[in-house]
């Protein structure tokens, strides 16, 4: 049976009961509008622990001025149906005042990581993410928490926060779920027109061809590859923000011309009014 809670206190009471019975808790934070990508996180969570908790909260503090906070799709009824089908035990659906009682003076900032890649183009975004995830972790106090690799920078940021703040939570990253043509599933894909949707898979194709290049060429100039692929996306009709090859663990730029490194290729582009992000581990 799915329990729905809107108040922090109700979540705490329920979790207390499960913990008293020695049950372990897995947690999947979401902003709702659930698709197969989210549901793959829930399925993973179910494998690890006795109880699975999901939160649905469109977090205002991670949207910059002028971003899509008000038009972000909210589909609570459908979401709850999906969560029942996937065997979730508790869903926490707070309203904004429950999460941000005023004045809310404390924020969590993961320096360096917050200001680069997506952070450079979305000022304040990662501060908002780290703050809300920290609050949610304090409310749920899960044994494990599950995040998608689709938001790769977010995943690295959360791992860093967990380590820096000595939180006893194991973070599990789950591979990106893709449509047949490779486009990473995202709630924002529904903003795309049919014509844009056809073009959108070029992002994944570009990531794949870059990975191929990185695997086959002996020595390489990463900067040159980034510039080439940036131009390629521009010609295909996107407005790219960045195309970057980084160290997969800390997102630092790779050492030039050294091939034995665990790398990740990350990209953010605009297609019309829609911002798409994706990445690929090498
Ligand atoms: O990835 C998301 O959906 C959000 O950034 C998260 C982690 C739920 C925080 O609001």
């Amino acid at each position: 049976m799915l329990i729905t809670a809107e108040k922090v206190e109700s979540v705490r009471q329920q979790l207390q009961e499960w913990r008293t019975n020695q049950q372990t808790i897995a947690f999947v934070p979401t902003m709702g509008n659930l698709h197969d990508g989210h549901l793959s996180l829930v399925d993973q969570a179910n494998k690890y622990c006795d109880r699975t908790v999901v939160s649905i909260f469109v977090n205002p503090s991670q949207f910059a001025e002028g971003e899509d906070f008000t038009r972000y799709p909210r589909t609570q009824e459908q979401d709850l149906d999906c969560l029942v089908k996937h065997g979730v035990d508790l869903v926490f659906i707070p309203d904004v005042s429950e999460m941000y009682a005023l004045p809310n003076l404390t924020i969590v900032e993961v320096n360096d990581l917050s200001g680069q890649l997506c952070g450079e183009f979305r000022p304040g975004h990662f501060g908002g993410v780290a703050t809300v995830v920290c609050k949610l972790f304090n409310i749920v106090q899960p044994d494990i928490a599950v995040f998608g690799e689709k938001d790769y920078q977010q995943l690295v940021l959360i791992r860093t926060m967990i380590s820096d703040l000595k939180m006893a939570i194991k973070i599990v990253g789950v591979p990106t779920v893709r449509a047949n043509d490779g486009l990473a599933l995202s709630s924002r894909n529904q903003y795309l027109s049919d014509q844009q949707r056809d073009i959108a898979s070029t992002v994944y194709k570009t990531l794949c061809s870059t990975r191929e290049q990185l695997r086959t060429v002996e020595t390489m100039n990463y900067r040159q590859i980034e510039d080439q692929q940036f131009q390629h996306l521009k010609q295909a009709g996107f407005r790219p923000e960045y195309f970057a090859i980084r160290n997969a663990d800390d997102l630092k730029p790779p050492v030039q011309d050294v091939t034995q490194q665990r790398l990740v290729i990350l990209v953010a582009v605009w297609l019309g009014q829609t911002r798409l992000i994706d990445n690929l581990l090498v």
Side-chain angles (χ1 to χ4, degrees):
M1 195 194 69
L2 177 68
I3 300 165
T4 307
E6 288 168 12
K7 299 287 174 203
V8 172
E9 215 28 63
S10 338
V11 175
R12 290 206 163 121
Q13 273 172 19
Q14 183 55 62
L15 291 173
Q16 183 58 40
E17 188 189 313
W18 288 335
R19 274 198 207 93
T20 309
N21 293 332
Q22 315 296 327
Q23 294 181 326
T24 52
I25 315 288
F27 178 47
V28 184
T30 80
M31 297 207 298
N33 192 238
L34 305 179
H35 50 65
D36 285 352
H38 297 109
L39 298 172
S40 75
L41 307 183
V42 170
D43 293 344
Q44 277 299 319
N46 286 338
K47 284 186 199 154
Y48 279 92
C49 288
D50 301 311
R51 297 288 183 175
T52 298
V53 177
V54 171
S55 62
I56 297 179
F57 179 61
V58 185
N59 171 36
S61 75
Q62 68 187 77
F63 291 79
E65 194 73 25
E67 288 190 347
D68 57 345
F69 174 66
T70 42
R71 72 170 179 138
Y72 195 85
R74 288 152 171 94
T75 50
Q76 193 171 307
E77 289 295 299
Q78 267 167 255
D79 292 348
L80 293 180
D81 285 350
C82 291
L83 296 179
V84 170
K85 286 191 190 115
H86 283 256
V88 168
D89 296 286
L90 188 150
V91 56
F92 177 42
I93 316 180
D95 66 19
V96 174
S97 62
E98 186 69 5
M99 292 301 287
Y100 294 97
L102 293 172
N104 190 97
L105 302 179
T106 307
I107 60 155
V108 180
E109 196 68 71
V110 183
N111 288 327
D112 290 353
L113 274 172
S114 286
Q116 53 173 302
L117 300 167
C118 285
E120 188 186 332
F121 297 91
R122 302 187 70 188
H125 169 69
F126 285 117
V129 171
T131 302
V132 82
V133 171
C134 190
K135 282 174 191 256
L136 290 165
F137 282 174
N138 282 333
I139 296 162
V140 178
Q141 299 187 11
D143 298 280
I144 74 150
V146 186
F147 290 83
E149 285 178 358
K150 155 86 173 22
D151 295 297
Y152 194 84
Q153 186 174 4
Q154 170 173 283
L155 180 60
V156 175
L157 179 112
I158 300 295
R159 286 193 202 282
T160 307
M161 177 182 82
I162 288 287
S163 159
D164 288 351
L165 299 184
K166 314 288 179 213
M167 293 176 164
I169 301 171
K170 179 181 158 63
I171 302 298
V172 176
V174 175
T176 304
V177 179
R178 298 182 179 281
N180 287 340
D181 64 355
L183 179 67
L185 296 196
S186 161
S187 300
R188 292 188 168 102
N189 291 351
Q190 60 199 276
Y191 301 155
L192 298 170
S193 68
D194 289 349
Q195 199 193 355
Q196 288 171 336
R197 177 62 192 78
D198 286 343
I199 305 171
S201 63
T202 308
V203 173
Y204 179 62
K205 289 179 187 130
T206 310
L207 287 171
C208 289
S209 69
T210 310
R211 179 166 70 178
E212 215 34 51
Q213 225 175 327
L214 291 174
R215 278 179 174 163
T216 48
V217 179
E218 282 285 297
T219 56
M220 60 195 65
N221 184 332
Y222 296 114
R223 236 358 227 286
Q224 199 178 352
I225 300 172
E226 289 172 346
D227 290 347
Q228 274 166 5
Q229 300 296 45
F230 189 96
Q231 290 308 325
H232 170 70
L233 287 166
K234 231 170 150 177
Q235 277 151 20
F238 299 94
R239 276 176 291 123
E241 283 182 345
Y242 64 81
F243 188 95
I245 301 165
R246 294 292 173 95
N247 180 298
D249 298 321
D250 56 15
L251 297 183
K252 293 212 166 85
V255 185
Q256 212 60 38
D257 287 330
V258 173
T259 45
Q260 296 301 317
Q261 304 176 73
R262 214 172 80 84
L263 298 176
V264 59
I265 315 160
L266 306 111
V267 58
V269 295
W270 284 91
L271 190 52
Q273 298 304 304
T274 309
R275 186 173 182 274
L276 303 172
I277 60 167
D278 202 351
N279 68 82
L280 204 58
L281 285 159
V282 181

